[in-house]
Amino acid sequence: MPAVTVENPLTLPRVGAPADAVARPVLAVTTAPSGFEGEGFPVRRAFAGINYRHLDPFIMMDQMGEVEYAPGEPKGTPWHPHRGFETVTYIIDGIFDHQDSNGGGGTITNGDTQWMTAGSGLLHIEAPPESLVVSGGLFHGIQLWVNLPAADKMMAPRYQDIRGGQVRLLTTPDGGALLRVIAGELDGHEGPGITHTPISLVHATVAPGAEVTLPWREDFNGLAYVLAGRGAVGADRRPVHVGQTAVFGAGSSLTVRADEQQDSHTPDLEILLLGGRPIREPMAHYGPFVMNTREELQQAFEDFQKGRLGTVPAVHGMTEQGPAGD
């Protein structure tokens, strides 16, 4: 981990916060509980216990794995519906297949991202390919849910296939970190993901002992989730480790630092930095539907039950819709 890297980060454009930037304080550090999703793959619920006012426009995020599957163990999700938001699936290690009832889908692996805008609604399935089920192997990724404003909740579904080679690669002034901009922008450098709700999503690999202070849009919130390793966040160096989320307060820059000593399995601090412009609208969320009112949720369930969100493609040999899931 990770798959998308460079031999010498100093060949990349360098970014850093200006001297007069206002450092964002760390409001809280939470630890993600572990659980299982879909047909039984292990996840960490990254945003559990965080007040939604600090997350908006994000709804939830799962770290999937890191897990080394034995042959026959890899699992995915059954067919299930979504309406009213976007799902962003980023595969760091391993391989995953996606298909939806709108014709979107494909295989993502080692640094690829699939960006599915559910909008008015569709059915989809995510599963390891048969070859991985047979052989077993490493699997590690995240899935992030991004809310849509009321004006866009019933837009036509859309699918983006973002290859790892398309991600914008940057570094810090001393070359101590590799920054992968998946969506949004960082100091004017834009990632490939096209967003309806303005967000930034950056995967940073920070070398032991290195510190990163990045400019961060003042109209965005700020979150940092540790995928692997140990480090500290904020100017006061609040300790964080794998499976923890840091919530930043207001300001124009955020700081993360990798501990001098990491373990042999995780030589660097691997951390996701994310933020977005809060939507600040009422949210009604239940299972796979994220709407603004209870009535809209009820309508989403009715539309799903009556087959208005699409049908499972016959190529999978299924004639009925699978069970609903997250």
Side-chain angles (χ1 to χ4, degrees):
M1 183 179 82
V4 179
T5 188
V6 294
E7 186 173 338
N8 181 8
L10 290 174
T11 61
L12 301 171
R14 306 182 195 189
V15 298
D20 60 352
V22 178
R24 287 177 174 251
V26 177
L27 302 181
V29 172
T30 63
T31 301
S34 297
F36 293 91
E37 184 53 84
E39 296 171 336
F41 59 85
V43 298
R44 286 188 174 103
R45 304 290 192 188
F47 295 160
I50 301 175
N51 190 296
Y52 182 65
R53 73 177 183 274
H54 298 310
L55 298 177
D56 186 11
F58 306 113
I59 301 162
M60 59 151 276
M61 186 170 76
D62 283 347
Q63 180 181 11
M64 305 179 293
E66 180 177 8
V67 59
E68 184 75 40
Y69 283 121
E73 285 188 343
K75 298 176 176 66
T77 68
W79 282 96
H80 59 281
H82 285 305
R83 171 180 279 182
F85 64 102
E86 302 182 284
T87 63
V88 181
T89 306
Y90 172 49
I91 298 299
I92 300 166
D93 285 302
I95 187 168
F96 225 33
D97 287 340
H98 167 87
Q99 186 179 12
D100 66 49
S101 57
N102 194 52
T107 298
I108 55 173
T109 183
N110 296 347
D112 299 338
T113 301
Q114 62 182 23
W115 197 297
M116 187 185 78
T117 304
S120 60
L122 43 61
L123 307 177
H124 83 139
I125 187 171
E126 296 162 304
E130 185 176 353
S131 59
L132 180 64
V133 175
V134 171
S135 66
L138 183 63
F139 182 75
H140 188 201
I142 64 109
Q143 185 171 96
L144 172 70
W145 288 15
V146 185
N147 202 5
L148 288 170
D152 292 332
K153 282 195 179 294
M154 296 300 287
M155 67 175 293
R158 182 182 65 182
Y159 180 80
Q160 299 177 66
D161 183 22
I162 302 170
R163 297 287 117 183
Q166 297 174 277
V167 169
R168 191 73 165 100
L169 299 180
L170 307 168
T171 191
T172 47
D174 65 357
L178 176 61
L179 310 170
R180 304 166 191 80
V181 184
I182 298 168
E185 61 88 24
L186 185 60
D187 200 26
H189 301 274
E190 294 190 357
I194 300 171
T195 68
H196 288 283
T197 302
I199 71 166
S200 289
L201 176 60
V202 180
H203 173 193
T205 298
V206 187
E211 185 170 277
V212 177
T213 299
L214 299 176
W216 207 253
R217 284 180 50 166
E218 292 187 69
D219 60 333
F220 279 19
N221 58 5
L223 301 160
Y225 177 74
V226 182
L227 293 164
R230 300 186 304 274
V233 289
D236 59 351
R237 295 189 175 181
R238 183 102 171 248
V240 290
H241 58 73
V242 61
Q244 291 191 314
T245 301
V247 179
F248 290 90
S252 57
S253 71
L254 54 80
T255 298
V256 300
R257 187 180 189 279
D259 283 358
E260 295 278 357
Q261 299 294 324
Q262 304 288 336
D263 60 45
S264 58
H265 175 64
T266 307
D268 304 300
L269 172 68
E270 302 288 348
I271 192 164
L272 280 181
L273 307 174
L274 62 164
R277 183 189 299 156
I279 296 174
R280 302 295 189 231
E281 292 177 350
M283 184 177 69
H285 172 204
Y286 189 85
F289 305 124
V290 183
M291 306 303 292
N292 293 103
T293 67
R294 182 178 178 83
E295 290 73 25
E296 290 170 345
L297 275 184
Q298 291 172 333
Q299 185 64 55
F301 275 104
E302 179 182 330
D303 289 346
F304 168 58
Q305 291 165 352
K306 293 187 176 180
R308 296 170 184 153
L309 300 190
T311 56
V312 173
V315 67
H316 278 257
M318 299 173 64
T319 58
E320 297 181 356
Q321 293 166 347
D326 285 350

